[in-house]
Amino acid sequence: MSTKIKLGLFGFGCVGQGLYNVLNQTEGIKAEIIKICVKNGSKSRSLPDHYFTLDKNELLNNSEINVIVEMIDDPAAAFEIVKSALKSGKAVVSANKKMIADNFAELHSLQQEFNVPLLYEASACASIPIIRNLEEYYDNDLLGAVEGIFNGSTNYILTKIFKENLDFDTALRQAQDAGFAETDPTLDVQAFDPKYKLCIILAHTFGLFVNPEEIFNYGIQNLSTFDINYAKEKGYKIKLVAFCRRLEDKIIAGVLPRFVKPENKLSAIENEYNGILVESAFTEYQFFAGKGAGSNPTGSAVLSDISALTYNYKYEYKKYNRNKLEISNDFQIEVYVRYSTRKSIDLSLFSNIKETYTNADSGYIVGSISFGELRNSSWINRSDVNVIVSAENKFVLNNKTGTTVAELHGELA
Amino acid sequence: MSTKIKLGLFGFGCVGQGLYNVLNQTEGIKAEIIKICVKNGSKSRSLPDHYFTLDKNELLNNSEINVIVEMIDDPAAAFEIVKSALKSGKAVVSANKKMIADNFAELHSLQQEFNVPLLYEASACASIPIIRNLEEYYDNDLLGAVEGIFNGSTNYILTKIFKENLDFDTALRQAQDAGFAETDPTLDVQAFDPKYKLCIILAHTFGLFVNPEEIFNYGIQNLSTFDINYAKEKGYKIKLVAFCRRLEDKIIAGVLPRFVKPENKLSAIENEYNGILVESAFTEYQFFAGKGAGSNPTGSAVLSDISALTYNYKYEYKKYNRNKLEISNDFQIEVYVRYSTRKSIDLSLFSNIKETYTNADSGYIVGSISFGELRNSSWINRSDVNVIVSAENKFVLNNKTGTTVAELHGELA
């Protein structure tokens, strides 16, 4: 982009303010805010009135504005804005993970058709430059897996639980009070937010545009004191881990809580920080960590995208269709399943049961099960059941195990 | 680079073989090895004879070759090769940290003058994409500090010492046997290798081309069992830490061993891994970790540079001359100094002494001293003296403290 960056901002909430702060203190980047479209005209603002408008067309039809920065909450409205902007040749920077994950294929086509970049580094793990690294540095086809803590809100809650011996409800309330969890925490706690991020990372890791509904997400809402004590007795923490991994020509992916040993790099990622492990054929692993939320880290990632536009940077999606990979749920995963009534769990689904425990109120099993069958089971959504992936978990394609340890079920039936 | 990449390789040792392995298994990158210049014609090779030559001009004058990959040991010979290649319009990829650090300003000029890229991601921390990230993602002027473990060889030795209770000499021998330390380990053990890497990182963090001789490096060669026990009693590890940090308009930089607490992210970086902390105004910190040595990680970084050349990537050195920053040794640093005879240490150099200890054979002090005066002191190079930076260290410009706690010296004189 040879001309100076002239910004049209949609939204001036937490991220917008963060961007304004960061932009204001960064001499190196020549970008100017021209206009800001907001939903509520009566709020008092930190900038003069003439910057603000309620009419999106004042930005979209303004030929002076060459970059639209979309930072609003509503994914459907955001998508309309982004589409209009791309179609009119304006570059777009967005932090809206749900909007991107839900419309990835179409957004990809629009970028190609109108030859205009859409950048969204801030949409996944805020300040960690993971998309840029997957896209640029790991641009060949040797990536084996990307997994990590993609949600700062639940990580803050889990840190509170383990560091301060709180139960889930108390930790959630404290996270809300500290501004690290939303009033309606569903998207975070039920692992939708990290799933959207995982979809974005899937595109840049394996070249797959996956509908978020295809990906199994299971949150921490059913975490009980029993589960927490189980983890502590073993010296584990519990982290909400998003993963995607290549097994032969299949890609497996999901977001579930996981027991994590102290030597796992993710164990040290606390509070609102995110951490990402990247496995590749030749480097073994790489680890990235940084703040996964907050106005300034997110604003800083948005600014980094704006800066990249000054030298005509765009995602090339080089991995798209390079490999004929497809998502599969047809693999074995080892899980801990805690329940109040054993008969509510269909044990015949398990190919292998390693441990079983029962007391007066509850019990658990540790065993291997097909990921697809776990997801589709009748009992997974019971409020008196909780599922956590084993610390020792090895992912194996179903057809590779060949073992159905049916006899083990005898003693449990 | 619109045409296909045709490679001329200088050197076919560990890194060259690694590159060949990686290139061979990576379908995504269309690059072909045309010719390899080696020093020794009689070695048996894993490739057919027609690839090899002893004459550098067979590569430099070959118009089919558009990218030179320089992977030889001799920095002076490497510099001549790189200069010739750049002048003839061939892009260059190099992993030679000393060659780059020693000739940075000239290499920068040549890139500008002949408008041809020189990439060297593999030269600093091998598989960790730190240069690309500093250059692209942290391209504005808000970086506060970069510090980390930049040398896999000494980190392997220090890991052995702390995990297996070995003394320095035994750990060094084991590292040599395992191929993680050179037969002549001077460059690693005396911290020259991480200093060259720090010089490269300084250019991409703060836009400074610094002569390596300006930077103080102090290695782990004097590490004694006394020092190791001191660290263990406090629950610390010792890591060889390279750092650069902005204090107002000054940049401070150096490589010294440091006591590291368990909660420091660098504490968990073991064996040949490297770890890098990046502090910036808006993201607090970012952490990168990965393999810092080895043929495949280094080959993989070289390949990533080759891949970047396919889309005309080059370093833009945007921070160069943006800020009028300069290197300064005029700051206070808190250090542990162990000695056999206290009178060999000039205590009057210390502005503050926090601790002192003496037994029959040796003693130590913990105190603050000007970095420049520490470097220039008469006793720093004594073999019976060892210096380790405090775990609690805060770097402060000299003129900011205003305290010379001369009275403390009374009791120590």
Side-chain angles (χ1 to χ4, degrees):
Chain A
M1 194 160 288
S2 48
T3 52
K4 197 182 157 184
I5 301 262
K6 307 268 189 176
L7 300 169
L9 270 48
F10 280 89
F12 203 63
C14 161
V15 178
Q17 292 273 2
L19 172 63
Y20 178 73
N21 294 343
V22 177
L23 195 57
N24 232 9
Q25 292 169 59
T26 309
E27 287 168 31
I29 293 177
K30 300 290 167 242
E32 187 189 344
I33 296 175
I34 303 295
K35 209 85 190 171
I36 305 170
C37 180
V38 291
K39 215 165 58 181
N40 182 344
S42 59
K43 262 192 206 167
S44 94
R45 305 284 182 180
S46 54
L47 280 176
D49 279 352
H50 71 82
Y51 277 110
F52 296 94
T53 175
L54 300 175
D55 177 7
K56 65 179 183 180
N57 292 318
E58 277 199 47
L59 280 66
L60 294 169
N61 297 338
N62 183 335
S63 60
E64 187 188 6
I65 291 173
N66 51 19
V67 176
I68 293 291
V69 183
E70 179 283 301
M71 298 169 293
I72 66 177
D73 287 334
D74 177 349
F79 185 49
E80 291 309 313
I81 289 163
V82 171
K83 269 198 296 193
S84 299
L86 293 173
K87 285 178 179 174
S88 63
K90 295 188 198 303
V92 177
V93 175
S94 172
N96 200 320
K97 59 221 76 162
K98 183 171 185 346
M99 184 275 290
I100 296 162
D102 280 344
N103 304 287
F104 225 145
E106 193 171 347
L107 290 169
H108 174 248
S109 301
L110 284 167
Q111 289 173 76
Q112 308 295 314
E113 191 182 343
F114 295 93
N115 191 28
V116 64
L118 165 65
L119 301 181
Y120 40 79
E121 186 62 73
S123 69
C125 303
S127 68
I128 306 177
I130 186 63
I131 298 173
R132 205 83 68 83
N133 274 284
L134 290 170
E135 179 73 6
E136 296 305 304
Y137 193 77
Y138 305 99
D139 64 345
N140 51 54
D141 45 8
L142 297 168
L143 287 171
V146 175
E147 66 179 38
I149 296 166
F150 294 179
N151 181 267
S153 182
T154 46
N155 203 49
Y156 187 92
I157 293 168
L158 291 167
T159 302
K160 282 269 168 190
I161 286 173
F162 277 79
K163 274 212 174 150
E164 299 175 21
N165 288 312
L166 305 181
D167 61 26
F168 175 77
D169 290 328
T170 312
L172 171 59
R173 262 198 314 278
Q174 290 195 6
Q176 287 169 323
D177 292 344
F180 288 115
E182 307 281 341
T183 316
D184 173 7
T186 313
L187 284 181
D188 296 317
V189 166
Q190 296 191 10
F192 285 94
D193 169 273
K195 177 165 83 163
Y196 301 135
K197 294 168 180 167
L198 179 63
C199 288
I200 295 170
I201 281 172
L202 268 163
H204 293 278
T205 303
F206 296 118
L208 286 173
F209 297 125
V210 181
N211 185 328
E213 287 177 12
E214 282 188 55
I215 306 289
F216 180 29
N217 58 302
Y218 188 83
I220 59 169
Q221 66 275 13
N222 291 353
L223 199 61
S224 72
T225 305
F226 184 96
D227 305 328
I228 296 162
N229 288 338
Y230 174 93
K232 285 183 176 170
E233 279 168 18
K234 308 262 179 192
Y236 300 158
K237 290 179 188 170
I238 297 170
K239 296 290 187 186
L240 183 58
V241 179
F243 67 93
C244 59
R245 178 174 293 275
R246 182 173 178 163
L247 296 177
E248 301 176 20
D249 57 349
K250 304 291 183 209
I251 301 299
I252 66 169
V255 190
L256 290 92
R258 192 183 293 188
F259 294 118
V260 170
K261 295 182 180 183
E263 58 265 34
N264 187 317
K265 291 262 173 295
L266 297 178
S267 176
I269 300 301
E270 301 284 35
N271 297 313
E272 77 271 31
Y273 276 83
N274 284 186
I276 308 171
L277 279 159
V278 176
E279 286 181 28
S280 80
F282 297 112
T283 63
E284 204 154 311
Y285 77 82
Q286 299 268 311
F287 184 61
F288 299 81
K291 279 205 172 178
S295 58
N296 283 349
T298 310
S300 168
V302 170
L303 185 68
S304 156
D305 280 348
I306 293 172
S307 167
L309 291 173
T310 63
Y311 55 91
N312 297 309
Y313 181 74
K314 60 178 180 179
Y315 302 138
E316 302 204 33
Y317 301 96
K318 277 176 276 193
K319 294 163 200 159
Y320 177 57
N321 273 344
R322 181 191 291 170
N323 310 301
K324 295 298 168 207
L325 301 171
E326 55 182 46
I327 289 279
S328 171
N329 288 327
D330 201 17
F331 65 95
Q332 293 285 309
I333 187 166
E334 190 181 288
V335 289
Y336 153 103
V337 180
R338 189 257 311 150
Y339 41 76
S340 53
T341 327
R342 185 186 283 167
K343 67 179 189 303
S344 63
I345 310 295
D346 181 0
L347 294 173
S348 73
L349 293 175
F350 287 79
S351 62
N352 180 19
I353 292 179
K354 272 168 69 172
E355 285 179 50
T356 171
Y357 170 89
T358 312
N359 69 16
D361 309 313
S362 40
Y364 66 82
I365 58 165
V366 176
S368 294
I369 185 168
S370 159
F371 195 66
E373 291 186 346
L374 174 68
R375 182 183 189 179
N376 296 327
S377 69
S378 56
W379 42 266
I380 183 103
N381 292 315
R382 288 176 65 106
S383 64
D384 66 339
V385 165
N386 192 27
V387 174
I388 303 175
V389 177
S390 286
E392 302 281 3
N393 188 66
K394 297 264 178 285
F395 301 97
V396 187
L397 289 179
N398 274 346
N399 59 1
K400 296 294 158 183
T401 63
T403 51
T404 46
V405 196
E407 55 272 33
L408 253 175
H409 299 156
E411 57 164 303
L412 298 168
Chain B
M1 193 162 286
S2 50
T3 53
K4 197 182 158 184
I5 300 263
K6 307 268 189 176
L7 300 171
L9 270 48
F10 280 89
F12 203 61
C14 161
V15 179
Q17 292 272 1
L19 172 64
Y20 178 73
N21 294 342
V22 177
L23 195 57
N24 231 10
Q25 291 170 60
T26 308
E27 287 169 31
I29 293 180
K30 300 291 169 241
E32 187 189 344
I33 296 174
I34 303 297
K35 209 85 190 172
I36 304 170
C37 181
V38 292
K39 214 164 60 179
N40 181 345
S42 59
K43 262 193 205 166
S44 92
R45 305 285 181 179
S46 55
L47 280 176
D49 279 352
H50 70 82
Y51 277 109
F52 295 95
T53 177
L54 300 175
D55 177 8
K56 66 179 183 178
N57 292 318
E58 277 199 46
L59 280 66
L60 293 171
N61 297 338
N62 184 334
S63 60
E64 188 188 7
I65 290 172
N66 51 19
V67 175
I68 293 292
V69 182
E70 178 284 301
M71 298 169 292
I72 66 176
D73 286 334
D74 177 349
F79 184 49
E80 291 308 313
I81 289 163
V82 171
K83 269 197 297 192
S84 298
L86 292 174
K87 284 178 180 174
S88 65
K90 294 186 197 304
V92 176
V93 175
S94 171
N96 200 320
K97 61 221 76 163
K98 183 172 185 343
M99 184 275 289
I100 296 162
D102 280 344
N103 303 287
F104 225 145
E106 191 170 347
L107 289 168
H108 174 248
S109 300
L110 284 166
Q111 290 174 74
Q112 309 296 312
E113 189 182 345
F114 295 93
N115 191 27
V116 63
L118 164 66
L119 302 181
Y120 41 79
E121 186 62 71
S123 68
C125 304
S127 68
I128 306 177
I130 186 63
I131 298 174
R132 207 80 70 82
N133 274 283
L134 290 170
E135 179 72 7
E136 296 306 304
Y137 193 76
Y138 304 100
D139 64 346
N140 51 54
D141 45 7
L142 297 169
L143 287 170
V146 176
E147 66 178 38
I149 296 167
F150 293 179
N151 181 267
S153 183
T154 46
N155 203 48
Y156 187 91
I157 293 167
L158 291 167
T159 302
K160 282 269 169 190
I161 287 173
F162 278 80
K163 274 211 173 150
E164 298 175 23
N165 287 314
L166 305 181
D167 61 27
F168 176 76
D169 290 329
T170 313
L172 171 60
R173 263 198 315 279
Q174 290 194 7
Q176 286 170 325
D177 292 345
F180 288 115
E182 307 282 340
T183 317
D184 174 7
T186 314
L187 283 181
D188 295 318
V189 166
Q190 296 190 10
F192 286 94
D193 170 272
K195 176 165 83 164
Y196 300 136
K197 294 167 180 167
L198 178 63
C199 288
I200 294 170
I201 282 173
L202 267 164
H204 293 278
T205 303
F206 296 117
L208 285 174
F209 298 124
V210 181
N211 186 328
E213 288 176 13
E214 281 187 56
I215 306 289
F216 180 32
N217 58 301
Y218 188 84
I220 60 170
Q221 65 274 14
N222 291 352
L223 200 61
S224 72
T225 305
F226 184 97
D227 305 328
I228 296 162
N229 288 339
Y230 174 92
K232 286 182 176 169
E233 279 168 18
K234 309 263 179 194
Y236 299 159
K237 291 179 187 168
I238 297 170
K239 296 290 186 185
L240 183 58
V241 179
F243 67 91
C244 59
R245 179 174 294 274
R246 182 174 179 163
L247 296 178
E248 302 176 20
D249 57 348
K250 304 291 182 208
I251 301 300
I252 66 169
V255 190
L256 291 91
R258 191 183 294 188
F259 293 117
V260 169
K261 294 182 180 182
E263 58 265 33
N264 187 318
K265 291 262 173 296
L266 297 178
S267 176
I269 300 301
E270 301 282 36
N271 296 312
E272 77 271 31
Y273 276 83
N274 285 186
I276 308 172
L277 278 160
V278 176
E279 287 180 29
S280 79
F282 296 112
T283 63
E284 204 154 312
Y285 77 83
Q286 300 268 313
F287 184 61
F288 300 82
K291 280 206 173 178
S295 58
N296 282 349
T298 309
S300 168
V302 170
L303 185 68
S304 155
D305 279 347
I306 294 171
S307 167
L309 291 174
T310 64
Y311 54 90
N312 297 310
Y313 181 73
K314 60 179 180 178
Y315 302 138
E316 301 204 32
Y317 301 95
K318 277 175 276 191
K319 293 164 201 158
Y320 177 57
N321 273 343
R322 180 191 291 170
N323 310 301
K324 296 298 167 208
L325 301 171
E326 55 182 46
I327 289 279
S328 171
N329 288 327
D330 202 17
F331 64 95
Q332 293 285 308
I333 187 167
E334 190 182 287
V335 288
Y336 153 103
V337 181
R338 189 259 311 148
Y339 41 75
S340 53
T341 329
R342 185 186 283 168
K343 66 179 191 302
S344 63
I345 310 295
D346 181 1
L347 294 174
S348 72
L349 292 176
F350 286 79
S351 61
N352 178 19
I353 292 178
K354 271 168 70 173
E355 285 180 48
T356 171
Y357 170 88
T358 312
N359 69 14
D361 308 314
S362 39
Y364 66 81
I365 58 166
V366 176
S368 295
I369 185 169
S370 159
F371 195 66
E373 291 186 346
L374 174 68
R375 182 183 189 180
N376 295 327
S377 69
S378 56
W379 41 265
I380 184 103
N381 291 316
R382 289 175 66 107
S383 64
D384 66 339
V385 165
N386 192 27
V387 174
I388 303 174
V389 177
S390 287
E392 303 282 2
N393 188 65
K394 298 264 178 283
F395 302 96
V396 186
L397 289 180
N398 274 347
N399 58 1
K400 295 295 156 182
T401 63
T403 51
T404 47
V405 195
E407 55 271 32
L408 254 175
H409 298 156
E411 57 164 304
L412 298 167

